Amino acid sequence: MLTYIIRRLLYAIPIIIGVNVLTAVLFFYVNTPEDMARKILGEKNVTPAAIENWKQDHGYNLPTFVNTKEEGVQKITQTIFFQKSVPLLWLDFGKSDRNNIDISREIRTRMWASLAISLPMIVAGLIIINLFLAMMLAYYRATYIDIWGLVLAVVLMSVSTLFYIIGGQFILGKLLKLFPISGYDTGLDSFKFLVLPVVIGIAASIGSGVRFYRTVFLEEINKDYVRTARAKGLTEGKVLFKHAMKNAMIPVLTNVVVSIPFLFYGSLILETFFAIPGLGNFTIDAIQSQDFAIVRSMVYLGSILYIAGLILTDISYTLVDPRVRFE
Amino acid sequence: MLNKKFTGGAVKGRSVARALSLLALAAVLFISGCTPNDPYRSTERGGNIFYTTFLEPPKHLDPARAYSSDEYDFIGQIYEPLLQYHYLKRPYALVPLTAEEVPEPAYYGRDGKVLPANAPASVVDRAVYEIKVRKGIMYQQHPAFAKGPDGGALYAALTPKDLGDIKGIRDFPAKGTKELTSDDFIYQIMRLADPRVESPVLSIIEKYVTGLKEYSEALRKDLDAIRAERKKAAGFSYNQSVDEKMRPITLDYWKHRLPGVEKVDDHTFRIILKTKYPQFTYWLAMPFFAPVPREAAEFYNQGLLSDMNITLDRFPVGTGPYMMDTNNPNMEIVLVKNPNFHYEEYPSEGEPEDSQNGLLKYAGSKLPFIEKIVFKLEKEAIPRWNKFLQGYYDNSGITSDSFDQAVSIGSAGRPELTESMEEKGIRLLTSVRPSTFYSGFNMLDDVVGGYSPEKQKLRQAISIALEYEEFIEIFSNGRGLSANSPLPPGIFGYKEGREGINPYVYDWDEKRNRPVRKSIEYARKLMAEAGYPGGRDKTGRPLVITFDNPWTGADSTPMINWYIKKFALLGIQLENRTTDYNRFQEKMFSGNFQFFSWGWNADYPDPENFFFLLAGSNGKVKFQGENAANYSNAEFDRLFKEMENMENGPARQKVIDEMVAIARQDAPWVWGYHPVAFTLAHGWIENLKPNSMANNTMKYMRLATSERQARRDEWNRPNYWPIAAVVVIIIIGSLPAIITMRKKRGLGKK
């Protein structure tokens, strides 16, 4: 297993470098360092001298990939790409271009807010509610409960997340006055702010989640071993919850484990509407303000987390299916 | 084995049951709270705290860098420049803040002799502002001022061990203060020249302050030399960002002489300008000239602190009425009353109506009134607006979405609050902002530019067709005044009524006593005289004009369509060229455009700060200035030179009138409109008067906190019954499923 993990980690290196190169190419294809300077310095009194000064102080006065003015290895090291990307390898994200904040510290601070909202959403929503409801529908398959449940799921998944957010804020926050409409706090005080976005986040995911898991369960309950279990005289509940569920875990795990790394990223829309200071908000702000330092860091972090998620998924298969082996 | 599992399961079951009980208890306690939607901590209930919002995290809180009103909302309460705007008087008047008096410049000729105040700029060799700083003003408590046993700065060279559990400024065990001196003002002016500070006004200030440009260049050379040295020492692995992150460079500001600033004594200093520049007094009221103590700058210039995001750009150090308590720009920024704040009284003079509006009720009272100011980050308009209506924010702007809910146009054509707002005791405050939103022509362009009568007529015709009264109604809910010149109301030189109209666009209606826009037929006639009858040129082809803009918002498409429609009235085909802001800027700098739209917010309330947008010496293409239309009229420029150095008075008004007349005839801009700010405030806020120039107005505000609490409780009584109803519906809806399940299991038969 260890050899397998090491091999997968080694495979990840060229992927991460490739992601970095691609990010830099795409970013600088769309934006020149002059564009960044102009955007960041504001609208008033942005002289060419001020732009040049900004570039020098933020290390953007160098060529992007090859510095022909330097000798030897410095042709590569004295470039924007090398200077900005190499420290990422040891997770030194540097300072933001927009306001010089330390990005690593900002990520460490903000990730808790993202986790606070996305963790309950994934645990309570994805795993408990969606799985439970999907099993219920599978249990009552081909009955009016299944049919109407499915219709409701389709309706729920057809509604925009924005509608859930605005509707939830309006009904639960404004009309019924049960929760703060938006906001965030630290520690235990965060509880009252998290209920509404988490409930809305769960409600928004029920439709698609239930449909997906129902399909998985239905596929499973038509297999031979289920028929054998029924023939053995087991109750439908036991067949479904004890036997079929175990075997349906591979697609479920694929779905859940891959989404775990993105817990840190949080939910972009929910965070913005509920004024939750998470990483989703951070990334959106950086894109809007053309802060390459943050965009680069978040893309890099995202690629690492995605690779980690895929490795975790592979490992988790061995836990639920003894037939799966690392080779 | 089985038993063990069973026992373990039972224990786990009990733990789960206990956890669920606790959760239920917490939920009951939460539900039983009188206002569960209260976004603030219970300890803040009834507190003398002002709650407001900010729309995006401030970029800079360093007074040498901050240059937007969003940033001034914070630093205006913390830093104190030499002067401030009188809170109540109009037109805006400067009064001393940390200076003893508003300085009067002394002018000197080339022979060194003193010149009179009205001496023309051409004979002035230097202007000297001798400024006396008020004695006894102390800084807020701050670790930068903490002294060690040897009398030196205690936290000058921090190590990881020193920092220990310190996570923010509040955590430093030792703090100190010091008296405000002239050194702090001089230090800040030197900082403006530091290339790493990236002050946005350096390019302007260095035109006036003697030797500032050379001083800045010398600092740049020093910085480059240090970096070159470090690069040489590090070899190929040199990485400027990584290197300076932990080893910030300290520049020696005293290595070079800055002749434009002289210290006289601890409470007196001089600023020497190389020319006459009466507007400089306004600069002394801006945060760029607020004092920054050297101790604070050196304290923050430590890699370890910067690594923790503890910088001068985030944690200001000032003498103002408030000081930074919490800076979490992603969530909230909290200012608390500065216990070291010097004595300042609420003004006892204002406009005639101020007294009857209750604005002089607290005249002579000690400032500030409010203990704490909480700014909450609210990017989205809907939650921001709803929380204002619930009483959780004390004031609010009005977005287009909520405009109809808040404001209606009364029978007299004036905006009035709707009934629902009045029932809540909300007040509407309006003020014309010192800004202008305009459309312009590229005067360098062969088609729309030029100064011949035909070209003038073409632009005048377009000016008539672009009916900005309609634009304001459609896109700004009527919140604007159509412009007749670059000058908005409240700025010296602005004229109202008949005298103030642009005769090339409006006629005066004697009966209704108001301006009436010239007809579109008249505009078409002008088009014909310009060589474009029916909007077609001599060859019969339609006149095509390109419209460059960086508009991307929700309103952008209807706005662009509005322009296209209005140009079409003259037979002109307007070709839209929307790009992102950077491309737009590039086009503006290169002159690759014909027609554009832009705006300007004044830095200070002087006509010079508007007319310079049309000065030839500020042309964007030739001089990278702010004259985006590249307008250049020799007579206008001559008058501008004359006007900018004049004191307000009839002579200056005469020159302004001449300039306005020239600009109206040339029509390099379609004058557009001056936005009117609409602000809503709850009735429990006292002493509220809009002041578009002052940044430090929060010290004047007062709260009736018990009234606020009573209103909040009244407006936020929760409704639980719909939740109970939903639970009942779910239970009833589940019954068939349960019955079916029991039947399937065969239990139903029993």
Side-chain angles (χ1 to χ4, degrees), chain B residues 580-600:
Chain B
D580 64 65
Y581 190 69
N582 281 323
R583 298 287 89 74
F584 175 70
Q585 286 267 38
E586 262 175 26
K587 286 180 181 179
M588 299 307 284
F589 276 109
S590 63
N592 178 22
F593 66 96
Q594 287 186 307
F595 183 72
F596 68 100
S597 204
W598 222 335
W600 178 256

Side-chain angles (χ1 to χ4, degrees), chain A residues 35 40 53 95 102 110, chain B residues 59 220 306 309 330 583:
Chain A
D35 291 342
I40 286 165
N53 183 45
K95 301 263 183 187
D102 188 80
R110 283 175 174 260
Chain B
K59 240 186 340 182
R220 171 93 258 171
S306 154
N309 287 336
N330 312 312
R583 298 287 89 74

Side-chain angles (χ1 to χ4, degrees), chain B residues 214-285:
Chain B
E214 294 75 16
Y215 181 74
S216 174
E217 284 166 1
L219 289 182
R220 171 93 258 171
K221 275 182 193 161
D222 288 355
L223 181 63
D224 290 345
I226 295 170
R227 281 179 178 159
E229 213 170 275
R230 287 187 177 189
K231 186 181 171 189
K232 198 177 165 190
F236 75 93
S237 64
Y238 176 72
N239 185 321
Q240 184 184 301
S241 307
V242 175
D243 176 60
E244 289 175 27
K245 189 179 163 192
M246 289 315 286
R247 289 197 306 151
I249 294 171
T250 304
L251 289 178
D252 182 2
Y253 286 173
W254 290 268
K255 187 177 162 191
H256 309 283
R257 192 171 162 263
L258 174 56
V261 187
E262 282 176 5
K263 178 180 174 178
V264 178
D265 59 42
D266 280 350
H267 291 92
T268 315
F269 71 104
R270 294 189 192 112
I271 300 176
I272 300 148
L273 307 187
K274 48 192 173 191
T275 183
K276 188 179 180 182
Y277 181 43
Q279 293 77 23
F280 187 70
T281 322
Y282 293 115
W283 284 95
L284 300 180

